């Protein structure tokens, strides 16, 4: 306040105009733009060789920027069957058992914008756990992971899920994987096996049998090719590049 008193009228007007312009610029910046510039590298931890951001650190960062932000764990209604066979809602719970496992959902609201994320409770191999084996401890952990992912949708640490280690403000674009070469495709085709005759056989061997006049191999390949476009593509690739084997010289 004292500093303002020492300003002349023109200096005060200039300062007010500068402050107003600054506020306008800040207002134009979206939540995503602001959060995507936050460098989370110092907060990243590793587990099973994967990078992750703890929910406490992620939420703390967001609250330091947007104090009014809040999050919510979804509540799912659940029902019980009465004696007369009618299903009646008994209440709600913050997880949903399904035939695939247990689903949870977290959402975060920042400046009126809501982002949400659903996750299944997974084991240490990142496989969905059967509902009967899931505990409340694992459910709670998954809810917090869903919260961090919802924050990523809002912009915070999204680069972690993209396999990067730098925030988006540094404009680091991951390199595209090089296109598979013809030689690599040929090696893959030579190693491809198919369930045939009670065991696994090389696709090149079965095509070779067909080319030698084996009727069983011919009928099998007709059915197999119709099952999937990829099977048809492999079959044509083997014939086009003369890779058929089984007692035959490659290229015969």
């Amino acid at each position: 306040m004292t500093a303002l008193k020492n300003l002349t009228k023109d200096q005060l007007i200039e300062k007010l105009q500068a402050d107003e312009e600054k506020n306008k610029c800040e207002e134009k910046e979206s939540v995503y733009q602001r959060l995507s510039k936050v460098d989370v590298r110092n907060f990243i931890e590793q587990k099973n060789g994967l990078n992750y951001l703890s929910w406490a650190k992620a939420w703390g960062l967001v609250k330091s920027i947007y104090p009014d932000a809040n999050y919510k764990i979804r509540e799912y209604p659940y029902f019980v069957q009465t004696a007369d066979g009618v299903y009646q809602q008994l209440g709600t719970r913050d997880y949903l058992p399904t035939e695939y496992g247990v689903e949870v959902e977290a959402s975060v609201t920042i400046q009126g914008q809501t982002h949400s994320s659903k996750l299944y409770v997974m084991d240490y191999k990142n496989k969905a756990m059967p509902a009967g084996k899931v505990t409340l401890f694992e459910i709670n952990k998954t809810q917090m992971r869903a919260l961090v992912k919802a924050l990523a949708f809002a912009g915070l640490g999204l680069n972690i899920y993209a396999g990067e280690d730098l925030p988006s403000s540094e404009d680091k674009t991951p390199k595209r994987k090089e296109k598979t070469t013809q030689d690599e495709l040929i090696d893959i085709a030579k190693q491809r096996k198919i369930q045939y005759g009670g065991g696994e056989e090389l696709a090149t061997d079965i095509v070779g049998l067909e080319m030698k006049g084996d009727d069983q191999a011919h009928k099998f390949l007709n059915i197999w090719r119709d099952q999937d476009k990829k099977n048809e593509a492999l079959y044509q690739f083997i014939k086009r590049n003369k890779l058929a084997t089984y007692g035959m010289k490659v290229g015969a």
Side-chain angles (χ1 to χ4, degrees):
M1 183 63 70
T2 304
L4 291 177
K5 288 182 178 180
N6 294 331
L7 296 177
T8 65
K9 180 180 178 180
D10 290 340
Q11 289 174 329
L12 183 58
I13 291 174
E14 185 178 346
K15 178 175 176 23
L16 290 174
Q17 289 176 339
D19 289 344
E20 184 179 356
E21 188 64 30
K22 180 181 178 182
N23 290 333
K24 285 182 180 179
C25 291
E26 290 177 350
E27 287 174 2
K28 290 179 182 178
E29 189 174 50
S30 69
V31 171
Y32 178 84
Q33 289 172 326
R34 178 68 183 88
L35 290 181
S36 66
K37 292 178 181 178
V38 177
D39 190 343
V40 299
R41 281 177 295 180
N42 293 331
F43 303 97
I44 291 176
E45 300 175 36
Q46 279 204 335
K47 186 176 182 180
N48 296 329
L50 299 175
N51 292 334
Y52 75 98
L53 184 63
S54 76
W55 74 267
K57 291 174 181 176
W59 186 240
L61 286 169
V62 170
K63 289 291 282 186
S64 68
I65 301 170
Y66 300 104
D68 294 334
N70 61 76
Y71 75 87
K72 183 179 181 181
I73 304 299
R74 180 176 176 179
E75 293 283 336
Y76 300 86
Y78 72 97
F79 301 82
V80 294
Q81 190 174 19
T82 60
D84 55 2
V86 177
Y87 282 92
Q88 181 179 353
Q89 184 175 342
L90 191 62
T92 61
R93 53 192 176 192
D94 56 3
Y95 60 93
L96 177 65
T98 73
E99 59 180 307
Y100 305 105
V102 177
E103 178 188 288
V104 301
E105 181 177 357
S107 61
V108 58
T109 302
I110 306 172
Q111 291 195 340
Q113 300 177 32
T114 300
H115 303 271
S116 62
S117 173
K118 293 180 180 179
L119 287 177
Y120 272 94
V121 177
M122 296 183 287
D123 58 20
Y124 69 97
K125 293 182 179 179
N126 286 333
K127 301 292 184 182
M129 297 177 63
K133 294 186 177 181
V134 173
T135 66
L136 291 177
F137 173 74
E138 288 152 341
I139 289 172
N140 180 257
K141 285 201 305 181
T142 306
Q143 289 169 340
M144 295 299 99
R145 286 180 53 242
L147 170 61
V148 175
K149 196 166 184 178
L151 292 173
F153 286 133
L156 183 72
L158 184 60
N159 43 283
I160 296 176
Y161 292 93
E164 303 173 33
D165 60 358
L166 295 173
S168 59
S169 60
E170 299 195 25
D171 195 26
K172 182 180 179 181
T173 304
K175 294 181 179 179
R176 289 185 177 182
K177 183 180 178 181
E178 294 293 331
K179 187 176 180 180
T180 306
T181 66
Q182 179 74 2
D183 288 342
E184 288 172 334
L185 289 173
I186 289 175
D187 287 339
I188 293 171
K190 286 180 178 179
Q191 297 175 36
R192 175 68 187 279
K193 290 187 176 183
I194 304 173
Q195 196 69 30
Y196 177 76
E200 284 193 337
E201 300 291 342
L202 289 171
T204 54
D205 282 352
I206 303 173
V207 176
L209 281 171
E210 181 193 41
M211 293 177 66
K212 290 179 68 176
D214 190 301
D215 188 56
Q216 180 180 340
H218 176 68
K219 290 179 179 178
F220 168 82
L221 287 172
N222 281 343
I223 297 172
W224 176 75
R225 289 161 59 190
D226 287 338
Q227 289 176 344
D228 194 315
K229 291 181 179 179
K230 293 181 180 179
N231 295 345
E232 174 65 21
L234 177 62
Y235 175 82
Q236 296 297 340
F237 184 84
I238 290 172
K239 296 196 71 174
R240 185 168 59 252
N241 291 277
K242 299 181 180 181
L243 302 177
T245 51
Y246 199 83
M248 303 175 62
K249 183 179 179 182
V250 176

Coordinates of all heavy atoms in Angstrom, one line a residue, residues 42-107:
N42 N 10.0 -34.3 -10.5 CA 10.5 -34.5 -9.1 C 9.6 -35.3 -8.2 O 10.0 -35.7 -7.1 CB 10.8 -33.2 -8.5 CG 12.0 -32.4 -9.2 OD1 12.9 -33.1 -9.8 ND2 11.9 -31.1 -9.2
F43 N 8.4 -35.6 -8.7 CA 7.4 -36.2 -7.8 C 7.1 -37.7 -8.3 O 6.3 -38.4 -7.7 CB 6.1 -35.5 -7.8 CG 6.2 -34.1 -7.3 CD1 6.3 -33.0 -8.2 CD2 6.3 -33.8 -6.0 CE1 6.5 -31.7 -7.8 CE2 6.4 -32.5 -5.5 CZ 6.5 -31.4 -6.4
I44 N 7.7 -38.1 -9.4 CA 7.5 -39.4 -10.0 C 8.2 -40.5 -9.2 O 9.3 -40.3 -8.8 CB 8.0 -39.4 -11.5 CG1 7.1 -38.5 -12.4 CG2 8.0 -40.8 -12.0 CD1 7.5 -38.4 -13.8
E45 N 7.5 -41.6 -9.0 CA 8.1 -42.7 -8.3 C 8.0 -43.9 -9.3 O 7.2 -43.8 -10.3 CB 7.3 -43.0 -7.0 CG 7.4 -41.8 -6.0 CD 6.6 -42.1 -4.8 OE1 6.5 -43.3 -4.4 OE2 5.9 -41.1 -4.3
Q46 N 8.7 -45.0 -9.0 CA 8.7 -46.2 -9.8 C 8.2 -47.4 -9.1 O 8.5 -47.6 -7.9 CB 10.0 -46.4 -10.4 CG 10.4 -45.6 -11.7 CD 11.4 -46.2 -12.5 OE1 12.2 -47.0 -12.1 NE2 11.4 -45.9 -13.8
K47 N 7.4 -48.2 -9.8 CA 6.9 -49.5 -9.2 C 6.8 -50.5 -10.4 O 6.2 -50.2 -11.4 CB 5.6 -49.3 -8.6 CG 5.1 -50.5 -7.8 CD 3.8 -50.3 -7.1 CE 3.3 -51.5 -6.3 NZ 2.0 -51.2 -5.6
N48 N 7.5 -51.6 -10.2 CA 7.5 -52.7 -11.3 C 8.0 -52.1 -12.6 O 7.5 -52.5 -13.7 CB 6.1 -53.3 -11.4 CG 5.7 -54.0 -10.2 OD1 6.5 -54.5 -9.4 ND2 4.4 -54.0 -9.9
G49 N 8.9 -51.2 -12.5 CA 9.5 -50.6 -13.8 C 8.6 -49.6 -14.4 O 9.0 -49.1 -15.5
L50 N 7.5 -49.2 -13.8 CA 6.6 -48.2 -14.4 C 6.6 -46.9 -13.6 O 6.8 -46.9 -12.4 CB 5.2 -48.7 -14.5 CG 5.0 -50.0 -15.3 CD1 3.5 -50.5 -15.2 CD2 5.3 -49.7 -16.8
N51 N 6.5 -45.7 -14.3 CA 6.4 -44.5 -13.6 C 5.0 -44.2 -13.1 O 4.1 -44.5 -13.8 CB 6.9 -43.3 -14.5 CG 8.3 -43.4 -14.9 OD1 9.1 -43.9 -14.1 ND2 8.7 -42.9 -16.0
Y52 N 4.9 -43.6 -11.9 CA 3.6 -43.2 -11.5 C 3.7 -42.0 -10.5 O 4.8 -41.7 -9.9 CB 2.9 -44.4 -10.8 CG 3.4 -44.7 -9.4 CD1 2.7 -44.2 -8.2 CD2 4.5 -45.5 -9.2 CE1 3.2 -44.5 -7.0 CE2 5.0 -45.8 -7.9 CZ 4.3 -45.3 -6.8 OH 4.8 -45.6 -5.5
L53 N 2.6 -41.3 -10.4 CA 2.5 -40.1 -9.5 C 1.6 -40.4 -8.4 O 0.4 -40.8 -8.7 CB 2.0 -39.0 -10.4 CG 1.9 -37.6 -9.7 CD1 3.3 -37.1 -9.3 CD2 1.3 -36.6 -10.7
S54 N 2.0 -40.3 -7.1 CA 1.1 -40.7 -6.0 C -0.1 -39.7 -6.0 O 0.1 -38.5 -6.3 CB 1.9 -40.6 -4.7 OG 2.1 -39.3 -4.3
W55 N -1.2 -40.2 -5.5 CA -2.4 -39.4 -5.4 C -2.2 -38.1 -4.5 O -2.7 -37.1 -4.8 CB -3.6 -40.2 -5.0 CG -3.6 -40.5 -3.5 CD1 -3.1 -41.6 -2.9 CD2 -4.2 -39.7 -2.5 NE1 -3.3 -41.5 -1.6 CE2 -4.0 -40.4 -1.3 CE3 -4.8 -38.5 -2.5 CZ2 -4.4 -39.8 0.0 CZ3 -5.3 -37.9 -1.3 CH2 -5.0 -38.6 -0.1
A56 N -1.5 -38.3 -3.4 CA -1.3 -37.2 -2.4 C -0.5 -36.1 -3.1 O -0.9 -34.9 -2.9 CB -0.6 -37.7 -1.2
K57 N 0.5 -36.4 -3.8 CA 1.4 -35.4 -4.4 C 0.6 -34.7 -5.6 O 0.7 -33.5 -5.8 CB 2.7 -36.0 -4.9 CG 3.6 -36.4 -3.8 CD 4.8 -37.1 -4.3 CE 5.7 -37.5 -3.1 NZ 6.9 -38.3 -3.5
A58 N -0.1 -35.5 -6.4 CA -0.9 -35.0 -7.5 C -2.0 -34.1 -7.0 O -2.1 -32.9 -7.5 CB -1.5 -36.1 -8.3
W59 N -2.7 -34.5 -6.0 CA -3.8 -33.7 -5.5 C -3.2 -32.4 -4.8 O -3.8 -31.3 -4.9 CB -4.6 -34.5 -4.5 CG -5.9 -33.7 -4.0 CD1 -6.2 -33.4 -2.7 CD2 -6.9 -33.2 -4.8 NE1 -7.4 -32.8 -2.7 CE2 -7.9 -32.6 -3.9 CE3 -7.2 -33.2 -6.2 CZ2 -9.0 -32.0 -4.4 CZ3 -8.4 -32.6 -6.6 CH2 -9.3 -32.1 -5.7
G60 N -2.1 -32.5 -4.1 CA -1.5 -31.4 -3.5 C -1.1 -30.3 -4.5 O -1.3 -29.1 -4.2
L61 N -0.5 -30.8 -5.6 CA -0.1 -29.8 -6.7 C -1.3 -29.1 -7.2 O -1.3 -27.9 -7.4 CB 0.6 -30.6 -7.8 CG 2.0 -31.1 -7.5 CD1 2.5 -32.0 -8.6 CD2 3.0 -29.9 -7.4
V62 N -2.4 -29.8 -7.5 CA -3.6 -29.2 -8.0 C -4.2 -28.2 -7.1 O -4.6 -27.1 -7.4 CB -4.7 -30.3 -8.4 CG1 -6.0 -29.6 -8.8 CG2 -4.1 -31.1 -9.6
K63 N -4.3 -28.6 -5.8 CA -4.9 -27.7 -4.8 C -4.1 -26.4 -4.6 O -4.6 -25.4 -4.2 CB -5.1 -28.4 -3.5 CG -6.2 -29.5 -3.5 CD -7.6 -28.9 -3.6 CE -8.0 -28.3 -2.3 NZ -9.5 -27.9 -2.4
S64 N -2.8 -26.5 -4.8 CA -1.9 -25.3 -4.6 C -2.2 -24.3 -5.7 O -1.9 -23.1 -5.6 CB -0.4 -25.8 -4.6 OG 0.0 -26.2 -5.9
I65 N -2.7 -24.8 -6.9 CA -2.9 -23.9 -8.0 C -4.4 -23.5 -8.0 O -4.8 -22.4 -8.3 CB -2.6 -24.6 -9.3 CG1 -1.1 -25.0 -9.3 CG2 -2.9 -23.7 -10.5 CD1 -0.7 -25.9 -10.5
Y66 N -5.3 -24.5 -7.8 CA -6.7 -24.3 -7.8 C -7.3 -24.7 -6.4 O -7.7 -25.9 -6.3 CB -7.4 -25.1 -8.9 CG -6.9 -24.7 -10.3 CD1 -6.1 -25.5 -11.0 CD2 -7.3 -23.5 -10.9 CE1 -5.6 -25.2 -12.3 CE2 -6.9 -23.1 -12.2 CZ -6.0 -24.0 -12.8 OH -5.6 -23.6 -14.1
P67 N -7.3 -23.8 -5.4 CA -7.8 -24.2 -4.1 C -9.2 -24.7 -4.0 O -9.6 -25.4 -3.1 CB -7.6 -22.8 -3.3 CG -6.6 -22.1 -4.1 CD -6.8 -22.4 -5.5
D68 N -10.0 -24.3 -5.0 CA -11.4 -24.7 -5.0 C -11.7 -26.0 -5.7 O -12.8 -26.5 -5.7 CB -12.3 -23.6 -5.7 CG -12.3 -22.3 -4.9 OD1 -12.1 -22.3 -3.7 OD2 -12.5 -21.2 -5.5
A69 N -10.6 -26.7 -6.1 CA -10.8 -27.9 -6.8 C -11.3 -29.0 -5.8 O -11.0 -28.9 -4.6 CB -9.5 -28.4 -7.4
N70 N -12.1 -29.9 -6.3 CA -12.6 -31.0 -5.4 C -12.7 -32.3 -6.3 O -12.8 -32.2 -7.5 CB -14.0 -30.6 -4.8 CG -15.1 -30.4 -5.8 OD1 -15.6 -31.3 -6.4 ND2 -15.4 -29.1 -6.1
Y71 N -12.8 -33.4 -5.6 CA -12.9 -34.7 -6.3 C -14.0 -35.5 -5.6 O -14.4 -35.3 -4.5 CB -11.6 -35.5 -6.3 CG -11.1 -36.1 -5.0 CD1 -11.6 -37.4 -4.7 CD2 -10.3 -35.5 -4.1 CE1 -11.2 -38.0 -3.5 CE2 -9.9 -36.1 -3.0 CZ -10.3 -37.3 -2.6 OH -9.9 -37.9 -1.5
K72 N -14.4 -36.5 -6.3 CA -15.5 -37.4 -5.9 C -15.3 -38.8 -6.3 O -15.0 -39.0 -7.5 CB -16.9 -36.8 -6.4 CG -18.1 -37.6 -5.9 CD -19.4 -36.9 -6.5 CE -20.6 -37.6 -6.0 NZ -21.9 -37.0 -6.5
I73 N -15.6 -39.7 -5.4 CA -15.6 -41.1 -5.8 C -17.0 -41.6 -6.1 O -17.9 -41.3 -5.2 CB -15.0 -42.0 -4.7 CG1 -13.6 -41.5 -4.3 CG2 -15.0 -43.5 -5.1 CD1 -12.6 -41.6 -5.4
R74 N -17.2 -42.2 -7.2 CA -18.6 -42.5 -7.6 C -19.2 -43.6 -6.7 O -18.6 -44.5 -6.3 CB -18.6 -43.1 -9.0 CG -20.0 -43.4 -9.5 CD -20.0 -43.9 -11.0 NE -21.3 -44.3 -11.4 CZ -21.6 -44.8 -12.7 NH1 -20.6 -44.8 -13.6 NH2 -22.8 -45.2 -13.0
E75 N -20.5 -43.4 -6.4 CA -21.3 -44.3 -5.6 C -22.2 -45.1 -6.5 O -22.9 -44.5 -7.3 CB -22.1 -43.6 -4.5 CG -21.3 -42.9 -3.4 CD -20.8 -43.9 -2.4 OE1 -21.4 -45.0 -2.3 OE2 -19.7 -43.6 -1.8
Y76 N -22.2 -46.4 -6.4 CA -23.1 -47.2 -7.2 C -24.2 -47.8 -6.4 O -23.9 -48.3 -5.3 CB -22.3 -48.4 -7.8 CG -21.1 -48.0 -8.7 CD1 -19.8 -47.7 -8.2 CD2 -21.2 -47.9 -10.1 CE1 -18.8 -47.4 -9.0 CE2 -20.2 -47.6 -10.9 CZ -18.9 -47.3 -10.3 OH -17.9 -47.0 -11.1
P77 N -25.4 -47.8 -6.9 CA -26.5 -48.5 -6.1 C -26.3 -50.0 -6.2 O -25.8 -50.5 -7.1 CB -27.8 -48.0 -6.9 CG -27.3 -47.7 -8.3 CD -25.9 -47.2 -8.1
Y78 N -26.7 -50.7 -5.1 CA -26.7 -52.1 -5.1 C -28.0 -52.7 -4.6 O -28.7 -52.0 -3.8 CB -25.5 -52.7 -4.4 CG -25.5 -52.6 -2.9 CD1 -25.9 -53.7 -2.1 CD2 -25.1 -51.5 -2.2 CE1 -25.9 -53.6 -0.7 CE2 -25.1 -51.4 -0.8 CZ -25.5 -52.5 -0.1 OH -25.5 -52.4 1.3
F79 N -28.4 -53.8 -5.1 CA -29.7 -54.4 -4.8 C -29.6 -55.8 -4.1 O -28.6 -56.5 -4.3 CB -30.5 -54.5 -6.1 CG -30.7 -53.2 -6.8 CD1 -29.7 -52.7 -7.6 CD2 -31.8 -52.4 -6.7 CE1 -29.8 -51.5 -8.3 CE2 -32.0 -51.2 -7.4 CZ -31.0 -50.7 -8.2
V80 N -30.7 -56.1 -3.4 CA -30.8 -57.5 -2.9 C -32.2 -58.0 -3.3 O -33.1 -57.3 -3.5 CB -30.7 -57.5 -1.3 CG1 -29.3 -57.1 -0.9 CG2 -31.7 -56.5 -0.7
Q81 N -32.2 -59.3 -3.4 CA -33.5 -60.0 -3.8 C -34.3 -60.3 -2.6 O -33.8 -61.1 -1.7 CB -33.2 -61.2 -4.7 CG -34.4 -61.8 -5.3 CD -34.1 -62.9 -6.3 OE1 -33.0 -63.4 -6.2 NE2 -35.0 -63.2 -7.2
T82 N -35.5 -59.9 -2.5 CA -36.4 -60.2 -1.4 C -37.0 -61.6 -1.5 O -36.8 -62.3 -2.5 CB -37.5 -59.2 -1.3 OG1 -38.3 -59.2 -2.5 CG2 -37.0 -57.8 -1.1
A83 N -37.7 -62.0 -0.5 CA -38.2 -63.4 -0.5 C -39.2 -63.6 -1.6 O -39.4 -64.7 -2.1 CB -38.9 -63.6 0.9
D84 N -39.9 -62.5 -2.1 CA -40.9 -62.7 -3.2 C -40.2 -62.5 -4.5 O -40.9 -62.4 -5.5 CB -42.0 -61.7 -3.0 CG -41.6 -60.3 -2.9 OD1 -40.3 -60.0 -3.0 OD2 -42.4 -59.4 -2.7
G85 N -38.9 -62.5 -4.6 CA -38.2 -62.4 -5.8 C -38.0 -61.0 -6.4 O -37.4 -60.9 -7.5
V86 N -38.4 -60.0 -5.7 CA -38.2 -58.6 -6.2 C -36.9 -58.1 -5.7 O -36.5 -58.3 -4.6 CB -39.4 -57.7 -5.6 CG1 -39.2 -56.3 -6.1 CG2 -40.7 -58.2 -6.1
Y87 N -36.2 -57.3 -6.6 CA -35.0 -56.7 -6.3 C -35.2 -55.3 -5.7 O -35.9 -54.5 -6.3 CB -34.1 -56.6 -7.5 CG -33.4 -57.9 -7.9 CD1 -34.0 -58.8 -8.8 CD2 -32.2 -58.3 -7.3 CE1 -33.4 -60.0 -9.1 CE2 -31.6 -59.5 -7.6 CZ -32.2 -60.3 -8.5 OH -31.6 -61.5 -8.8
Q88 N -34.6 -55.1 -4.6 CA -34.8 -53.8 -3.8 C -33.4 -53.2 -3.5 O -32.5 -53.9 -3.1 CB -35.6 -54.1 -2.5 CG -35.8 -52.8 -1.7 CD -36.6 -53.1 -0.4 OE1 -37.0 -54.3 -0.2 NE2 -36.8 -52.1 0.4
Q89 N -33.4 -51.9 -3.8 CA -32.1 -51.2 -3.6 C -31.8 -51.1 -2.1 O -32.7 -50.7 -1.3 CB -32.1 -49.8 -4.1 CG -30.7 -49.1 -4.0 CD -30.7 -47.8 -4.7 OE1 -31.5 -47.4 -5.5 NE2 -29.7 -46.9 -4.3
L90 N -30.7 -51.6 -1.7 CA -30.3 -51.6 -0.2 C -29.5 -50.4 0.2 O -29.5 -50.0 1.3 CB -29.6 -52.9 0.1 CG -29.4 -53.2 1.6 CD1 -30.7 -53.4 2.3 CD2 -28.5 -54.4 1.7
G91 N -28.9 -49.8 -0.8 CA -28.0 -48.6 -0.5 C -27.1 -48.4 -1.7 O -27.3 -48.8 -2.8
T92 N -25.9 -47.8 -1.4 CA -24.9 -47.5 -2.4 C -23.5 -47.9 -1.8 O -23.4 -48.0 -0.6 CB -24.8 -46.0 -2.8 OG1 -24.5 -45.3 -1.6 CG2 -26.2 -45.6 -3.4
R93 N -22.6 -48.2 -2.7 CA -21.2 -48.5 -2.3 C -20.3 -47.9 -3.4 O -20.7 -47.7 -4.5 CB -21.0 -50.0 -2.1 CG -21.4 -50.8 -3.3 CD -21.4 -52.3 -2.8 NE -21.9 -53.2 -3.9 CZ -22.3 -54.4 -3.7 NH1 -22.1 -55.0 -2.5 NH2 -22.7 -55.2 -4.7
D94 N -19.1 -47.6 -3.0 CA -18.2 -46.9 -3.9 C -17.4 -47.8 -4.8 O -16.3 -47.5 -5.2 CB -17.2 -46.0 -3.1 CG -16.4 -46.7 -2.1 OD1 -16.6 -48.0 -2.0 OD2 -15.7 -46.1 -1.3
Y95 N -17.9 -48.9 -5.2 CA -17.3 -49.8 -6.2 C -18.4 -50.7 -6.8 O -19.5 -50.8 -6.3 CB -16.3 -50.8 -5.5 CG -16.9 -51.6 -4.4 CD1 -17.3 -52.9 -4.7 CD2 -16.9 -51.2 -3.1 CE1 -17.8 -53.7 -3.7 CE2 -17.5 -52.0 -2.1 CZ -17.9 -53.3 -2.4 OH -18.4 -54.1 -1.4
L96 N -18.1 -51.2 -8.0 CA -19.1 -52.0 -8.8 C -18.5 -53.4 -9.2 O -17.7 -53.5 -10.0 CB -19.5 -51.2 -10.0 CG -20.5 -51.9 -11.0 CD1 -21.9 -52.1 -10.3 CD2 -20.7 -51.1 -12.3
P97 N -19.0 -54.4 -8.5 CA -18.6 -55.8 -8.9 C -19.2 -56.1 -10.3 O -20.4 -55.9 -10.5 CB -19.1 -56.7 -7.8 CG -19.5 -55.8 -6.7 CD -19.9 -54.5 -7.3
T98 N -18.4 -56.7 -11.2 CA -18.9 -57.1 -12.5 C -18.3 -58.4 -12.9 O -17.5 -59.0 -12.1 CB -18.5 -56.1 -13.6 OG1 -17.1 -56.2 -13.9 CG2 -18.8 -54.6 -13.2
E99 N -18.8 -59.0 -14.0 CA -18.2 -60.3 -14.4 C -16.8 -60.2 -14.8 O -16.1 -61.2 -14.9 CB -19.0 -60.8 -15.6 CG -19.0 -59.9 -16.8 CD -19.8 -60.4 -18.0 OE1 -19.6 -61.6 -18.4 OE2 -20.7 -59.7 -18.5
Y100 N -16.3 -59.0 -15.0 CA -14.9 -58.8 -15.4 C -14.0 -58.5 -14.2 O -12.7 -58.5 -14.3 CB -14.8 -57.7 -16.4 CG -15.6 -57.9 -17.6 CD1 -16.8 -57.2 -17.8 CD2 -15.3 -58.9 -18.6 CE1 -17.6 -57.4 -18.9 CE2 -16.1 -59.1 -19.7 CZ -17.3 -58.3 -19.9 OH -18.0 -58.5 -21.0
G101 N -14.6 -58.1 -13.1 CA -13.8 -57.7 -11.9 C -14.5 -56.6 -11.2 O -15.8 -56.5 -11.2
V102 N -13.8 -55.7 -10.5 CA -14.4 -54.7 -9.7 C -14.0 -53.3 -10.3 O -12.8 -53.0 -10.4 CB -14.0 -54.7 -8.2 CG1 -14.6 -53.6 -7.4 CG2 -14.4 -56.1 -7.6
E103 N -15.0 -52.5 -10.6 CA -14.8 -51.2 -11.3 C -15.0 -50.1 -10.3 O -15.9 -50.2 -9.4 CB -15.8 -51.0 -12.4 CG -15.7 -49.7 -13.1 CD -16.9 -49.5 -14.1 OE1 -16.8 -50.2 -15.2 OE2 -17.8 -48.7 -13.8
V104 N -14.2 -49.1 -10.4 CA -14.3 -47.9 -9.6 C -14.2 -46.7 -10.5 O -13.7 -46.8 -11.6 CB -13.3 -47.7 -8.5 CG1 -13.4 -48.9 -7.5 CG2 -11.9 -47.6 -9.0
E105 N -14.7 -45.5 -10.0 CA -14.6 -44.3 -10.9 C -14.4 -43.1 -10.0 O -15.0 -43.0 -8.9 CB -15.9 -44.1 -11.7 CG -15.9 -42.9 -12.6 CD -17.1 -42.7 -13.4 OE1 -18.0 -43.6 -13.4 OE2 -17.2 -41.7 -14.1
A106 N -13.4 -42.2 -10.4 CA -13.2 -41.0 -9.7 C -13.3 -39.8 -10.6 O -13.0 -40.0 -11.8 CB -11.7 -41.0 -9.1
S107 N -13.8 -38.7 -10.1 CA -13.9 -37.5 -10.9 C -13.4 -36.3 -10.2 O -13.4 -36.3 -9.0 CB -15.4 -37.3 -11.3 OG -16.2 -37.1 -10.2

